[in-house]
Amino acid sequence: MEFPFDVDALLPERITVLDQHLRPPARRPGTTTPARVDLQQQIMTIVDELGKASAKAQHLPAPITSASRMQSNRHVMYILKDTSARPAGKGAIVGFLKVGYKKLFVLDDREAHNEVEPLCILDFYIHESLQRHGHGRELFQHMLQKERVEPHQLAIDRPSQKLLKFLNKHYNLETTVPQVNNFVIFEGFFAHQHRPPATSLRATRHSRAAALDPMPAAPARKLPPKRAEGDIKPYSSSDREFLKVAVEPPWPLNRAPRRATPPAHPPPRSSSLGNSPERGPLRPFVPEQELLRSLRLCPPHPTARLLLATDPGGSPAQRRRTSSLPRSDESRY
């Protein structure tokens, strides 16, 4: 892949390693040094064009490698240049390999979930005119030595059929472990990883708290045994029967006549359970003088008249003699 600037002068080594800063590598002594901003812009142009070429070769809707993505992620990009071909004295790019560590949840051979953070192959591209010349193996082997990993320890993000055949041909990676995500791992991926027994999040928090607090925990206090619950009695009006007994009002308010039969339409009662106590109708308070005057003016009962008529001592003459006594003597009786 050719560019309008001098690639050989920009990338002095055959394989150049770029990180998220996209800084130009150190230049050879004796070469002219243009402005550093221009060098970084040229590197960003190379990264963008390589990402577009890789997306086109893999039939992707959009590039997954670009300068902006490199600056926002902690990925590492290995760029291989062609030192033999120097068109117009500017050099050319053969391909690139992008890797990075990612936290994944993968399934092992027992279909158990494992949280791992392996080195992942994120993008791999060799120019179509330079494939099957050993450039891909050279670039891949340089990455393995630089990162100090084995091929079976890698996780590949959505590998193409060409990449799977490449790994099977050069590194004998054939048997894969089925996953539920887009990453592919091969048999032997968990061989170098220690599988600690799964502990709950609560147990982990308790262990951390115990490590931070040296004070021993207080012994647990024993609670008294819970008493057995008996039958629950429903709330009824039996507890309020005593409220239904009518209270006799004091004299003379208790002189109201009692009705022999209950009224046809009893007065409304409270709708609450137990109701209000029953009471007779109350008469207004009558002064004592007025009550005595009403008793003197009240006519005698027919029965009293009959008794007076049959009583020998109750003759009219006797009543007249009794009534003729002085008023002072009568008041004595």
Side-chain angles (χ1 to χ4, degrees):
M1 181 178 291
E2 301 176 1
F3 292 92
F5 45 84
D6 192 354
V7 176
D8 188 55
L10 180 64
L11 306 176
E13 303 295 333
R14 176 170 174 82
I15 299 178
T16 302
V17 182
L18 298 177
D19 57 7
Q20 61 180 351
H21 301 290
L22 298 180
R23 295 173 181 171
R27 301 180 62 84
R28 297 174 183 175
T31 57
T32 59
T33 305
R36 193 171 185 84
V37 178
D38 297 338
L39 294 179
Q40 190 173 18
Q41 187 64 37
Q42 292 175 2
I43 291 177
M44 294 175 66
T45 302
I46 293 177
V47 173
D48 290 337
E49 293 300 326
L50 289 176
K52 293 178 182 178
S54 176
K56 183 179 179 180
Q58 300 180 56
H59 306 284
L60 300 178
I64 59 176
T65 299
S66 63
S68 59
R69 287 176 177 267
M70 285 290 298
Q71 291 175 339
S72 60
N73 296 278
R74 295 183 178 180
H75 297 161
V76 178
M77 191 171 180
Y78 293 84
I79 300 178
L80 175 64
K81 75 172 184 177
D82 188 4
T83 57
S84 60
R86 293 179 56 86
K90 295 182 180 180
I93 299 296
V94 176
F96 75 98
L97 175 61
K98 186 177 72 171
V99 298
Y101 287 90
K102 283 184 174 292
K103 184 176 294 186
L104 305 175
F105 289 91
V106 295
L107 301 176
D108 55 13
D109 50 359
R110 298 174 298 181
E111 296 186 356
H113 289 272
N114 297 267
E115 183 180 359
V116 295
E117 193 173 1
L119 183 66
C120 303
I121 304 298
L122 304 176
D123 204 355
F124 189 23
Y125 170 72
I126 299 294
H127 195 270
E128 290 80 2
S129 62
L130 299 174
Q131 292 181 5
R132 299 183 183 276
H133 289 77
H135 298 299
R137 178 179 172 80
E138 178 186 0
L139 184 60
F140 204 92
Q141 192 66 29
H142 180 83
M143 182 273 301
L144 294 177
Q145 295 177 0
K146 189 74 174 180
E147 301 294 339
R148 298 181 180 180
V149 294
E150 297 294 332
H152 61 269
Q153 300 175 355
L154 300 172
I156 299 91
D157 184 13
R158 290 171 291 187
S160 61
Q161 292 298 325
K162 287 185 178 181
L163 181 55
L164 293 177
K165 291 179 180 179
F166 171 84
L167 296 174
N168 184 19
K169 177 182 177 180
H170 297 288
Y171 299 102
N172 197 24
L173 297 178
E174 182 178 3
T175 306
T176 61
V177 181
Q179 302 296 321
V180 295
N181 49 28
N182 297 325
F183 286 84
V184 173
I185 60 175
F186 292 92
E187 187 177 10
F189 178 82
F190 297 97
H192 69 288
Q193 296 187 10
H194 174 64
R195 301 178 183 176
T199 56
S200 62
L201 182 60
R202 181 178 298 179
T204 305
R205 290 178 178 176
H206 284 315
S207 61
R208 291 179 180 176
L212 295 177
D213 189 6
M215 296 296 294
R221 184 178 59 180
K222 295 183 179 180
L223 298 177
K226 188 177 181 180
R227 292 186 295 180
E229 297 182 357
D231 298 336
I232 300 177
K233 297 181 180 180
Y235 184 77
S236 62
S237 60
S238 59
D239 298 336
R240 295 191 177 185
E241 290 295 336
F242 69 94
L243 297 176
K244 294 186 178 181
V245 180
V247 181
E248 187 71 18
W251 184 90
L253 303 179
N254 58 353
R255 307 302 298 174
R258 299 282 184 174
R259 288 180 288 189
T261 58
H265 300 284
R269 295 184 176 181
S270 173
S271 60
S272 61
L273 193 61
N275 300 325
S276 300
E278 296 180 356
R279 296 191 180 187
L282 300 179
R283 296 179 62 183
F285 178 73
V286 182
E288 184 177 358
Q289 298 296 335
E290 186 179 352
L291 180 61
L292 294 176
R293 187 182 303 107
S294 62
L295 291 177
R296 285 198 299 267
L297 298 178
C298 181
H301 198 270
T303 306
R305 292 180 179 178
L306 180 60
L307 292 175
L308 292 175
T310 56
D311 187 8
S315 59
Q318 182 68 24
R319 289 198 302 273
R320 281 196 296 271
R321 287 196 298 267
T322 305
S323 59
S324 61
L325 292 175
R327 199 66 178 174
S328 60
D329 296 338
E330 185 179 1
S331 60
R332 296 177 184 177
Y333 300 95

